Amino acid sequence: MREGIEEFGGGISNEELWQDFAKGLYYCPGDIDNPESYQKLKAFLAELDEERRTRGNHIFYLSVSPNFFPEAIRQLGAAQLLADPVKHRLVIEKPFGRDLSSAKALNRVVQQVCQEQQVYRIDHYLGKEVAETVGVEDRAGYYESSGALRDMLQNHLMQIFCLTAMEPPNSLDADSIRTEKMKVLQATRLADLNNLEFSAIRGQYSAGWMKGKPVPGYHEEPGVAPNSTTPTFVAMKFMIDNWRWQGVPFYLRTGKRLPKKVSEIAIQFREVPLLIFQSAAQQTTPNVLTMRVHPNEGISLRFEAKMPGPDLRTRTVDMDFSYGASFGVTSSDAYDRLLIDCMLGDQTLFTRSDEVEEAWRVVTPALMAWESSNDQSLVPKYEAGTWEPAEAELMINRDGRKWRRL
């Protein structure tokens, strides 16, 4: 644990604090499908409650393979380890299901042993690099069964999408916010269900260059099947059928082996009905409001400004706000924030059961179409170190738009 904190957690600045913290670390081995393991754990937790005065407050974090989620939840329920809806909480890592039907099945298992107020479906989108420079590294076994749609778009990007498009909630309590997000999902669809190439593009990275070094293609990564059709890139176009967003397209994309690690929301403003400065019309570019989620959290507004001088000439300028520069501190790691919220019982940044199912419903048409064929030649390629396959560029170019180059 100490090695992990020193390598990934910013190091240990106070030895006395570390020694105090380390006294609370324990290891209780067991088998996920063995009821005796849970009775052993139950007895062990009872001892800790006495020793550490934790008063029966327990969080069970399922940081295990998704295949084990249902069995672990059933066993925790059978051992009465989730019996107290106030003191007992359950954290479930993504992916929550592989598709709509499996998400519904997992929700049924959860609801048999838990109340919704106990369940924290964790999604660390606030600190996750949605565009990633890395490949699958040593996670090929997991990634082969998930891909970019399941691993990133259905959860991380859909969360950001909902927060962008939702109406102001009645209050800042968890259910008010999650209800508004749910309304967005209920009104969302892929832009063209009859021609998926106009609204859903997948891709796989091929061999290329990253930071001046050659890197292998996805099929050359250890543990990847030579005929794999698992997407490492996904781009989708959504439409929201409600009064505010009718006719406004939302473009989402994520991928591995892209040029930069970045997660951001960019809102491009419509053209004004009448451009008064006709002589500058050919020079202007759309105003864009950008919210940087990671890295360098902040907000910028890009707009046209008149250049000094007698001629009417404009230039694009940026107004920029950075949390780090303005407050002198960096934001906490996403998991730090979410785990503290779970301890405090704040579910605002966690996904509700109906929200999970609606998110799967939106992407299911593309998922079914892509998995109906094992023809690897149908999966477009993009070179490692580039932003997207040509097919994704064509999808957005049809609308007279282009992807942002960061």
Side-chain angles (χ1 to χ4, degrees):
M1 287 291 291
R2 178 168 187 148
E3 290 174 358
I5 291 174
E6 289 174 339
E7 182 175 357
F8 302 109
I12 295 171
S13 58
N14 187 307
E15 185 64 29
E16 185 178 346
L17 285 177
W18 162 253
Q19 293 298 333
D20 183 63
F21 174 75
K23 293 176 183 177
L25 299 176
Y26 304 87
Y27 181 63
C28 181
D31 295 324
I32 280 184
D33 59 353
N34 186 351
E36 293 181 3
S37 296
Y38 294 84
Q39 293 301 325
K40 176 184 175 183
L41 177 62
K42 186 176 183 178
F44 185 57
L45 291 176
E47 292 177 10
L48 288 184
D49 285 337
E50 290 292 326
E51 179 183 333
R52 305 287 294 182
R53 299 181 181 179
T54 47
R55 296 178 294 179
N57 292 292
H58 302 149
I59 295 174
F60 298 94
Y61 192 119
L62 299 187
S63 183
V64 298
S65 168
N67 298 331
F68 299 129
F69 287 168
E71 181 63 20
I73 294 167
R74 291 190 193 98
Q75 293 285 1
L76 287 169
Q80 296 294 299
L81 287 169
L82 294 170
D84 190 326
V86 176
K87 291 186 174 183
H88 298 163
R89 292 167 188 166
L90 177 69
V91 180
I92 305 176
E93 273 273 18
K94 60 101 176 174
F96 194 91
R98 286 182 48 80
D99 49 28
L100 179 57
S101 62
S102 60
K104 286 183 175 180
L106 183 53
N107 268 333
R108 286 194 294 269
V109 173
V110 171
Q111 290 159 1
Q112 287 171 0
V113 299
C114 288
Q115 297 182 24
E116 184 63 29
Q117 71 189 72
Q118 296 174 259
V119 185
Y120 293 75
R121 298 170 186 84
I122 197 165
D123 187 343
H124 55 293
Y125 64 89
L126 287 177
K128 181 66 178 177
E129 300 89 352
V130 175
E132 299 180 300
T133 58
V134 297
V136 295
E137 310 299 329
D138 58 353
R139 297 171 67 241
Y142 161 74
Y143 203 83
E144 271 284 84
S145 65
S146 60
L149 191 153
R150 290 189 175 99
D151 185 48
M152 296 295 293
L153 191 138
Q154 184 274 335
N155 38 71
H156 299 315
L157 265 70
M158 292 293 271
Q159 288 294 305
I160 294 175
F161 164 69
C162 288
L163 289 169
T164 304
M166 75 181 198
E167 297 294 322
N170 295 330
S171 70
L172 290 180
D173 67 89
D175 264 340
S176 293
I177 292 173
R178 297 196 293 181
T179 294
E180 294 303 328
K181 289 163 62 184
M182 180 64 178
K183 290 178 183 177
V184 173
L185 289 172
Q186 288 174 325
T188 299
R189 59 176 171 83
L190 284 168
D192 193 333
L193 292 173
N194 297 318
N195 301 284
L196 277 180
E197 68 273 16
F198 293 172
S199 58
I201 300 295
R202 56 180 168 166
Q204 282 182 343
Y205 64 83
S206 58
W209 293 78
M210 301 292 300
K211 298 180 179 179
K213 297 181 180 179
V215 294
Y218 181 67
H219 284 166
E220 288 78 54
E221 299 280 12
V224 174
N227 61 342
S228 171
T229 59
T230 300
T232 63
F233 173 93
V234 173
M236 288 187 167
K237 175 185 175 183
F238 291 153
M239 304 300 294
I240 303 177
D241 295 325
N242 64 17
W243 279 40
R244 181 181 295 277
W245 298 115
Q246 189 66 34
V248 177
F250 286 77
Y251 302 93
L252 281 67
R253 65 171 171 169
T254 181
K256 289 190 173 294
R257 290 288 189 214
L258 303 185
K260 292 178 67 177
K261 291 183 178 182
V262 64
S263 175
E264 71 167 28
I265 304 159
I267 301 170
Q268 180 172 308
F269 288 73
R270 295 179 186 269
E271 291 185 5
V272 295
L274 176 64
L275 189 62
I276 298 176
F277 304 104
Q278 291 295 328
S279 59
Q282 300 302 317
Q283 305 174 35
T284 58
T285 58
N287 295 348
V288 177
L289 177 65
T290 303
M291 287 163 272
R292 296 186 302 273
V293 179
H294 183 92
N296 304 320
E297 293 86 346
I299 303 172
S300 67
L301 177 63
R302 174 169 294 183
F303 58 94
E304 292 292 305
K306 180 185 177 299
M307 297 175 63
D311 297 330
L312 186 56
R313 293 187 299 159
T314 64
R315 192 179 77 180
T316 302
V317 296
D318 291 298
M319 291 178 62
D320 195 66
F321 158 70
S322 167
Y323 276 96
S326 297
F327 300 115
V329 295
T330 57
S331 60
S332 61
D333 179 82
Y335 275 117
D336 293 352
R337 167 70 186 273
L338 292 173
L339 290 174
I340 290 172
D341 283 351
C342 179
M343 294 175 190
L344 296 174
D346 185 350
Q347 293 182 302
T348 303
L349 297 178
F350 296 84
T351 313
R352 206 166 60 189
S353 60
D354 54 355
E355 190 181 341
V356 170
E357 294 179 10
E358 279 298 312
W360 277 117
R361 177 196 61 78
V362 173
V363 302
T364 289
L367 192 63
M368 293 179 63
W370 291 346
E371 296 192 343
S372 64
S373 171
N374 292 321
D375 189 347
Q376 192 269 328
S377 66
L378 296 177
V379 183
K381 298 295 187 292
Y382 63 100
E383 186 177 326
T386 62
W387 278 109
E388 70 273 316
E391 288 79 357
E393 193 169 1
L394 179 60
M395 181 185 77
I396 198 169
N397 289 166
R398 287 192 186 99
D399 298 339
R401 298 181 173 89
K402 58 184 180 181
W403 295 111
R404 286 171 55 79
R405 295 288 184 264
L406 308 173

